[in-house]
Amino acid sequence: MSQLTYGIAVFPSKKIQDIANSYRMRYDPQYSKIPPHITLKESFTADQQTIDKLTEDLSKIAKETEPFDIEIKKVSSFSPITHTVYLKVEPNDTLSKLNEQMNAEGFPGEQAFSFVPHITISQDLSEDEHSDVYGTLKISSFDLKDTIDRFQLLYQLDDGSWTVYETYKLGE
């Protein structure tokens, strides 16, 4: 039985995606592979049987979760672990709970990093490029707010790009 690579993410509003993409075009080699997003569950491989069960579990999680608001006020970085700059999503109980539920026992895949809600705007840069980008952006302030009312189960195509497998509306 063949296995595909999956992930679970939230796509913010077009306004926030446009702001993120204005940086990603220049600083993120993954720009063309997936729109700006907040990862709820890191990528994992699964067969169709696992996904069939997972979609039932995700439907239940979505139904029990009401739409919620997020705020972005600044950029941050994962340096020195990786040269990644991101829009930092302010701490949010609902995002954290979704991440916990999607990494609970019985769910495929393992969480390699602690959960930091964010939207990547640059990655895979040299140390000097990263320092320049982060140095410029960390003095900027952002005042972005959004209401999240859905999350998506995605799968990865052979060319490395991601496409939506299923959308889950919150509270429904």
Side-chain angles (χ1 to χ4, degrees), residues 13 16 43 45 47-48 53 55 57-58 61 64 69 76 79 84 103-104 126 135 140 142 158-159 172:
S13 65
I16 292 176
S43 63
T45 55
D47 59 27
Q48 191 58 51
K53 177 172 182 341
T55 55
D57 294 339
L58 293 175
I61 290 171
E64 293 169 355
D69 295 331
S76 194
S79 180
T84 301
N103 286 286
S126 72
S140 305
F142 295 83
D158 290 341
D159 68 0
E172 292 182 19

Side-chain angles (χ1 to χ4, degrees), residues 10-13 62-63 65-70 98 146-152 167-172:
V10 166
F11 294 106
S13 65
K63 189 174 185 177
T65 306
E66 290 302 315
F68 59 96
D69 295 331
I70 61 165
L98 286 169
D146 199 8
T147 299
I148 303 300
D149 65 356
R150 66 196 63 202
F151 61 81
Q152 276 82 8
T167 297
Y168 301 88
K169 288 192 171 178
L170 301 181
E172 292 182 19

Side-chain angles (χ1 to χ4, degrees), residues 4-6 8 20 24 51 53-55 57 79 82 94 96 101-102 117 121 137 151 156-157 159 171:
L4 291 174
T5 300
Y6 295 88
I8 303 172
R24 290 182 74 222
I51 291 303
K53 177 172 182 341
L54 181 65
T55 55
D57 294 339
S79 180
T82 67
T94 306
S96 297
Q101 289 175 303
M102 293 173 188
I121 55 176
L137 291 177
F151 61 81
Q156 195 169 29
L157 302 174
D159 68 0

Side-chain angles (χ1 to χ4, degrees), residues 74-120:
K74 65 181 185 176
V75 300
S76 194
S77 169
F78 288 128
S79 180
I81 298 159
T82 67
H83 293 154
T84 301
V85 178
Y86 57 87
L87 294 172
K88 180 184 186 297
V89 178
E90 293 298 305
N92 183 295
D93 290 344
T94 306
L95 277 175
S96 297
K97 184 177 178 197
L98 286 169
N99 170 262
E100 281 171 26
Q101 289 175 303
M102 293 173 188
N103 286 286
E105 199 173 315
F107 273 74
E110 293 201 8
Q111 186 161 311
F113 302 100
S114 59
F115 182 60
V116 178
H118 69 280
I119 300 169
T120 298

Side-chain angles (χ1 to χ4, degrees), residues 110-136:
E110 293 201 8
Q111 186 161 311
F113 302 100
S114 59
F115 182 60
V116 178
H118 69 280
I119 300 169
T120 298
I121 55 176
S122 88
Q123 61 184 329
D124 302 333
L125 300 178
S126 72
E127 192 165 339
D128 288 347
E129 289 173 312
H130 171 266
S131 294
D132 286 349
V133 171
Y134 184 49
T136 303

